[in-house]
Amino acid sequence: MIKAYFSSAIACMAGLVISGCAAPDGRYPSLAVRDAERVSGEFTPQAQPTGLPVVQPDSGRIDTAIASAKQANIKFLSQSDEVSALVATSRGTGQESDVRARALVGVASLTSLRGQTASALSQLDALEAQAATSFAETGAIRDAQATVVRMLSAQDQILETLTGEDAR
């Protein structure tokens, strides 16, 4: 009973809403474009550039990225011998051992330095993308990337040796 009442009430309300769109004479409003909706004025297209300038990669940014990677690599290599000795000493000790804690901190420090080297690679990747999208020469950037990748590979090997697992 209640369900039938609500159904008829909804049908009546829908009829009233729909009839509100009709004009008094029973016609619906026109869907034609009104004067206020018309676009007026003149539009003149801008002249297209004849050719985009080729942006050459900034050698200063490449050199900065390589210098950053080399600096992080030098720190990594200088700390790796000490950390390697700590890891060797800590093998077989308990989890509460101070030597083990120092070894874990050393490995974390090396991992952080590897991240700094990888950050330099990401800077070079961004430079390569920028140069490639402007059709500039990317040879110098790719050479720099290869140099940094070799550093990262050597660091990965050291970390794998220290942790006994894949560092990547």
Side-chain angles (χ1 to χ4, degrees), residues 91 107 155-168:
R91 292 192 200 272
V107 170
Q155 291 175 1
D156 286 342
Q157 289 177 349
I158 291 170
L159 286 171
E160 287 174 19
T161 303
L162 293 175
T163 61
E165 58 188 43
D166 190 6
R168 285 175 258 159

Side-chain angles (χ1 to χ4, degrees), residues 5 7 10 35 46 51 64 66 68 81 85 103 107 117 120 139 149 159 166:
Y5 173 73
S7 296
I10 290 175
D35 290 334
Q46 293 182 355
T64 301
I66 290 176
S68 173
D81 290 335
V107 170
T117 308
V149 166
L159 286 171
D166 190 6

Side-chain angles (χ1 to χ4, degrees), residues 64-70 72 114-126 145 148:
T64 301
I66 290 176
S68 173
K70 285 181 179 179
R114 186 205 177 277
Q116 290 177 20
T117 308
S119 176
L121 181 61
S122 72
Q123 292 170 6
L124 291 169
D125 289 345
Q145 287 172 319
V148 176

